[in-house]
Amino acid sequence: MKKPLAITGIVLVTILLALIILVKEIKSSGKPTYSGELNLSGLISEVQVIRDERGMPHIYAENAKDLYYATGYVMAQERLWQMDLIRRATTGRLSEIFGADYIETDLFLRSLKMSDKSKMVIEAMDPEIKQCVNSFVEGVNTYINDAGSDLPPEFKILRYKPEPWSDIYTANIIGYMGWDLASGNLSGDVFIYKLIQQIGEEAATRLIPYFDYTGTTVYPGFKPDNRALDKAGDAIAAMNRTAELGLTSFTGSNNWAVSGERSETGKPLFSNDMHLGLSSPGIWIQMHQVIPGELNVTGVIVPGEPFVVAGHNENIAWGMTNLMVDDIDLYNEKLNDDGTKYFYDGKWHDLKIEKEIIKTSKEEFEREIRYTHRGPLISGFRGIDKDELSMRWAGYDPSDEVRTVYLLNRAGNRDEFNEAISSFNAISQNFIYADINGNIGLHAAGGVAIRERHGGLIMPGDTSLYDWKGYVDHYSLPNSFNPEGGSVSSANNKTVGSEYPYYIGTYYSMPYRINRIREMLGEKEVFGIDDFKRMIVDRKSDFVSTLVPIMLDAVKDETLDGIESEVAAALSDWDFVMSPDSFCPTFFEYYYKVLVHDLLADDMGELFREFNGSVKDYYLLMIMLGEHDLYIDNINTEVVEDLGAILAGSFHNTIKHISGLHGDNTQDWIWGDLHAFTAEHPMASVKIIDNLFELNKGPFRVGGASHTVSPYSYGDGFRINHGASERHVYNTADWDESYTIIPTGISGVPSSEFYCSQTELYCNDGFYKDHFSREAVEDAEKYRLILRAGK
């Protein structure tokens, strides 16, 4: 017995040692080179890459070709797998690495035809810009070739190698960002139709945010088939799976600036934080690009494209917030019996039918996508029905966001800034502006469609009446330059009043963040850089300060038990700050959910589970402001309740609910203990992979919520999934006295010291100096990599 056992033991130990060596090898694979010298055949002259304490690359080149070649090489060093993931999303090829669960997602992504749009963009691209893009592509591919098998761990775990990069993939990234901005409108339109069917037009009008039905909501004989709606919902759900992979773009944001008259420096101060889904690696990489005497620009870049998207150069600073444009419409199409034609303006027209082959690692699947002149039949992915919903999206139309960011990097004044953003059509944003000459401004940019109705409805597809008639001219979009009062600000709130002649959108954010921003801008006449750093991480809630006093008034005459009395007393003394060290925010977040349920669930029935967030928030805002009293009474009781009774009842129900989950000790309800941020890698959902390769970082206790200026939003439970994707505070009087931070880190390679290296400081409201002058960059130097021409 001893001999076989000894042999078995030796074999097991050998296998274990081999596994340990293999895991160690995979963990360290693809680690970027930060110092020394590399010879690269694609360079003309020497390039220096200086990294500071956060690992941010400051790239110094003698010409544009070398600058963008080096940018591609360095970016691929840090984010190659993330770039490949984005590439697969934009081309509908996720199933190849993640399996058959992503077939419907891939099919939907292919219906967006991002590559077709990108080919048009590249064909029309200015030769100078195209050369820069091509140099970037060459740099990426040089890294892929040089790396060989020394690739980041994700490639080895999933057992595949990256294909060469191309300019199509770079342009596709713009399309993906545009789609992510628009996707909320798609699900919203389906929900609004169901809402009107259930509660009627008049009641729906009062529930839908900033919505004005102008007699165009009733179309005789028009009613989408419920199967079409259900299938559209399936398509939307399939598309939303990309969020599991950290592939999310702009959904909210804040920005504001003050003029020199209101700044301690005598020059404008500027702030921007764009709100995205939070994951690891994050969507941005910080980078500084310099060609002495020609270009000096710094900020954040999306991995896979070469130009700074938001940042500053020597003369101007710019940033963005989502304009909340409704750039998707759904149409109910009438098809013939075999599903090959659609009826339009009195005639039958052929559907364009395309076969798609979707591959997994094991097999191939054949699917069809059918198109009208408006776009794909999104409810037809799983069969042919006589009623289908087609989708019209601004992303199909000409635009050139690559041109925009290239020109912004080089803009020297407001006119050049304005000209640059004029081609920003598929990604609609409020651009904030500040310059060294003392000017500040805001300008909307994007595709605001001209149409015969106001949004949120599914339109009849058998007529051209509701087709889009073009876009609002860029110079007719809302804008503000050096306004009286010396400040500009936006936070996804309603763009303009009813006097504006064009419909922009429906699903605006409620005014809580913008109210708080403007409250802070009114607290002082003159601001310093520290004021802006404090403001961008502010967690005092305008929502809380509106709702809590109304609720406390409703229970002031009631007899409260011990824990109820404790909670009421704490809320009475609360400063309305969503602090991680208090239990009051926990109570409030539960109370909000319970209150909306108690007000609406009895009236909405099954539809309550689909209730769109902005519609729900708008309803509650109108209730609090006394604008209407819709659906206050609980129809399941014999008593007719007023608002006070519902508010008080929800108070009691909330405490019972929290006690059932967390116990009766309020110290077990502390917000930061429940509301924590973990930078989650998409592959870390497989726990053994996370444990072996240490992909996730956290959790870190944080405060805030979706309604605070510093927004830490959550999904299931209090798991944070959304927040500020970057924070920038710029000092136009001295760019070196500017500050920045991102939620993760420069690198997407887990073995790098700059993988999630900024996360803890970010969660603690800290910042890094944003070094800009050559002197400041060299003073902060930690690593220097010299890239030389030739092998």
Side-chain angles (χ1 to χ4, degrees), residues 203-222:
T205 301
R206 299 169 71 190
L207 281 177
I208 297 169
Y210 307 112
F211 200 83
D212 178 23
Y213 294 104
T214 55
T216 60
T217 60
V218 179
Y219 309 101
F222 167 60

Side-chain angles (χ1 to χ4, degrees), residues 593-714:
K593 294 179 181 179
V594 170
L595 176 61
V596 173
H597 177 274
D598 291 350
L599 283 165
L600 291 173
D602 57 319
D603 301 283
M604 298 293 105
E606 288 296 312
L607 190 58
F608 181 78
R609 292 186 298 178
E610 301 179 40
F611 217 8
N612 179 275
S614 62
V615 177
K616 190 162 46 179
D617 291 346
Y618 178 75
Y619 164 79
L620 190 55
L621 175 62
M622 292 299 99
I623 290 288
M624 291 187 296
L625 296 179
E627 294 294 328
H628 65 60
D629 56 1
L630 194 65
Y631 296 132
I632 289 177
D633 174 49
N634 185 343
I635 64 175
N636 295 323
T637 66
E638 295 181 1
V639 179
V640 178
E641 293 90 352
D642 60 13
L643 180 59
I646 297 293
L647 289 167
S650 296
F651 175 84
H652 302 302
N653 292 338
T654 300
I655 291 179
K656 290 176 185 176
H657 182 67
I658 301 175
S659 296
L661 292 172
H662 305 293
D664 291 335
N665 185 348
T666 57
Q667 293 307 300
D668 293 329
W669 305 2
I670 300 299
W671 186 229
D673 295 341
L674 303 175
H675 182 247
F677 171 55
T678 297
E680 296 184 1
H681 190 285
M683 290 179 60
S685 57
V686 181
K687 292 302 179 185
I688 190 169
I689 292 178
D690 184 29
N691 292 335
L692 287 173
F693 299 104
E694 301 176 282
L695 300 178
N696 284 354
K697 299 297 178 184
F700 299 96
R701 302 171 76 254
V702 295
S706 62
H707 41 88
T708 56
V709 174
S710 176
Y712 286 100
S713 304
Y714 53 85

Side-chain angles (χ1 to χ4, degrees), residues 276-331:
L276 284 70
L278 298 180
S279 60
S280 180
I283 193 62
W284 301 117
I285 182 170
Q286 297 154 310
M287 196 167 289
H288 181 195
Q289 299 170 321
V290 183
I291 305 171
E294 181 180 331
L295 178 71
N296 192 358
V297 62
T298 186
V300 290
I301 301 180
V302 180
E305 62 92 22
F307 307 125
V308 171
V309 175
H312 74 79
N313 56 32
E314 292 176 334
N315 297 299
I316 76 164
W318 73 95
M320 299 174 231
T321 64
N322 189 353
L323 186 59
M324 312 303 281
V325 165
D326 183 354
D327 54 2
I328 285 182
D329 276 344
L330 295 178
Y331 297 83

Side-chain angles (χ1 to χ4, degrees), residues 543-565:
F543 183 25
V544 174
S545 66
T546 303
L547 180 55
V548 167
I550 300 172
M551 179 204 69
L552 289 174
D553 187 63
V555 299
K556 67 180 180 180
D557 296 327
E558 294 200 5
T559 301
L560 304 179
D561 65 23
I563 189 170
E564 290 178 337
S565 179

